[in-house]
Every structure is written in structure tokens, then in C-alpha cells.
Amino acid sequence: MQNGPAVRRRKLGAELRALRTGAGLTSGEAARLVGWHQSKVSRIETGASGVRPADVRLLLDAYEVDDRQLRELLLALTGSDDAGGRNRWWHAYRGVLPPTYRDFISLESQASGMRTLETTVVPGLLQTPEYARAVTRAAVEGVDEERLDALVEVRLARQDVLRSEPPLELTAVLDEAVLRREVGGPGVMARQLDRLMEAARLPQVRLQVLPFSAGAHVGLTGPFVIFSFPSTSDLDVVVVDQLTSSLYLERKEDLMAYTEAFDSLRFHALSPEDSLDYIAGIGDGA
């Protein structure tokens, strides 16, 4: 378990090492091509040190990597403001967002797929403005109105990934408690349920409800997110939220365990079609 920046460095280094090997170069040969000492290439590939976007570009050029999507993803993993690629809008909120949240948004913005289990609240990508405000006010103790406004703006701006081209593919399993918990009052919750049904009909969104009748399940330990990325599965990562931080799990064993857990949750959840009916029934007071 590591924090976001450490995971980014390790994943970036591993991918650069694979690209170098694929280009038929030793680390010494790669270093000579870009005018560095061999030890710098080794430190980058092991994730022992940070790396600037300009250095990544030099290596990618040396390895003759022309895949624009892959280049943008690897540059984003540097975590730098000048990494280029997709619009890194969240940097305008650096004074408001904690580093772990910025890391999460960075991964979300570059991911091609997101699988999430939610046990307490509606996923941020599917929240209405009113619901987002009520959840944020409850979660951030003593938040003033100015910061509250900014945090809600960030939550809503994140939803653009579902409208981008190509859009993020979102698969969400919601515990029934998410739908029953009255956040913000009856009116806010009614509109939120309507929003869920609207989103569930989008081709890029797959929504399933895990009803109380399913009993105990593997997700009782808490919510988690699995990010998948284009071009390579080696960059996939699991994010587990805690009260004051987020943990990033990157080992293949962890990814396999959480993937199997998510598949089990989907198996025990209602189908997407039945989930729509179930949400509608809750909205009607069932």
C-alpha cells in the first residue's frame, strides 16, 4: 500500500523500462542517447526519484514511442503541472484540494474505465449539485461557504469524464444503503434518485444495486475503486479511501483480489435493468 505519488513513480518507471526493453536498448545505451548518466535512467525506472515531463519526452522520443494516448498517460503520471495531455483543470484548486484528492482526480481523468463499490454515498461522478453540497458539508467539518462552493465545483467538474471522447466507462455497484440514506432532505434525495436512473441509461454507465436481501457480502469492509487505463493494464490501480487519506494498491495480487471481489459483488447484485426498477421503487416510497 502506497500513496499516490509513489505509485505513479513506480508505474511510470516500470512502463518506461518495458518500452526501453522493447526498443532493444540497455539502460546504458538509453542514457547515452539522451545525454545522461546510466544511474539516472535506473533511478527513474525503479521509481526511486521523481521525473520531469521533459525527461519523459526525451526517453519516449529515444524509444520511438508515437502512440499519442500512451505518451499523454505517461506524462500525466509525472504529476507535474506542465505534463500536457488532457486538461489538468484541478490544478486551479490546489489551495483547496488535499494532495490525495488531486492524485485521485489525476488518475480518474486519464483512466479509460472505473469500477467502484459504494456503500454509503452516491459516487461523485453521479451526484447532483444539491446532493454533492450536502455530502461535502457533512464530510468536511467546519467548512466555510467559499471552500464549500469550490469543493462542489470540483465534484461537478469531475463528471466531465463521462462526457469526454471517449468517455470513461463507469461500472458502479451501490449498496441499498446508498439509496435509502436521506442526504439533504427528501427533495434532494428524490432528485438524486432521478439522476441515477438517468445516468444508468447512458451507454458508458453500468449501475447495479446490491439489495439488503443479498445479506453479508465481500464489500462490507468498505468502498473501493479500480481504475483501468488505455494501452496497458500494468497501470491499473485500486484506491481504498480512509478517513484522512487514500491507499493505492498496485500489486498484481491486490488487483486480482479486488477484481474478483468486484465480480462477486456484481454477481450478487441486481441486473442493471432490475436495478433501475428498484431505484424507481425506492423513489416511489417502496
Side-chain angles (χ1 to χ4, degrees), residues 93-105 147 151 244:
Y93 296 88
R94 290 183 72 90
V96 176
L97 305 179
T100 52
Y101 194 15
R102 295 201 303 268
D103 289 330
F104 183 90
I105 297 172
R147 185 169 184 234
L151 290 172
T244 59

Side-chain angles (χ1 to χ4, degrees), residues 117-120 173-178 209-224 260-269:
L117 165 69
E118 290 292 350
T119 58
T120 55
V173 174
L174 307 184
D175 190 278
E176 184 172 345
V178 173
V209 173
L210 194 62
F212 289 148
S213 60
H217 55 77
V218 69
L220 290 176
T221 54
F224 61 86
E260 290 176 353
F262 192 77
D263 289 343
S264 173
L265 290 165
R266 288 192 58 198
F267 177 80
H268 289 95

Side-chain angles (χ1 to χ4, degrees), residues 94-264:
R94 290 183 72 90
V96 176
L97 305 179
T100 52
Y101 194 15
R102 295 201 303 268
D103 289 330
F104 183 90
I105 297 172
S106 177
L107 290 171
E108 184 179 72
S109 74
Q110 295 296 325
S112 58
M114 176 178 177
R115 287 164 285 175
T116 181
L117 165 69
E118 290 292 350
T119 58
T120 55
V121 297
V122 170
L125 296 183
L126 303 178
Q127 292 178 6
T128 66
E130 298 165 297
Y131 186 97
R133 177 171 290 273
V135 166
T136 305
R137 190 187 297 279
V140 185
E141 186 176 356
V143 63
D144 59 53
E145 287 301 313
E146 184 177 358
R147 185 169 184 234
L148 179 61
D149 289 343
L151 290 172
V152 173
E153 285 177 14
V154 168
R155 182 66 53 91
L156 300 180
R158 283 175 48 203
Q159 298 177 3
D160 284 345
V161 295
L162 294 175
R163 297 183 288 270
S164 62
E165 188 55 48
L168 176 77
E169 298 285 337
L170 174 64
T171 303
V173 174
L174 307 184
D175 190 278
E176 184 172 345
V178 173
L179 309 175
R180 297 286 184 183
R181 179 170 290 104
E182 195 174 275
V183 174
V188 170
M189 202 61 206
R191 287 185 287 275
Q192 179 60 71
L193 293 178
D194 287 342
R195 166 65 180 138
L196 283 176
M197 290 188 288
E198 174 188 319
R201 295 185 178 94
L202 296 173
Q204 66 270 34
V205 175
R206 186 179 182 91
L207 189 64
Q208 291 181 253
V209 173
L210 194 62
F212 289 148
S213 60
H217 55 77
V218 69
L220 290 176
T221 54
F224 61 86
V225 172
I226 307 173
F227 284 121
S228 302
F229 295 88
S231 304
T232 174
S233 63
D234 291 339
L235 296 174
D236 292 359
V237 63
V238 176
V239 184
V240 182
D241 276 337
Q242 295 187 329
L243 182 61
T244 59
S245 64
S246 296
L247 296 175
Y248 293 72
L249 290 75
E250 59 172 329
R251 297 185 310 162
K252 291 187 183 298
E253 306 95 292
D254 294 325
L255 286 166
M256 182 176 298
Y258 275 86
T259 297
E260 290 176 353
F262 192 77
D263 289 343
S264 173

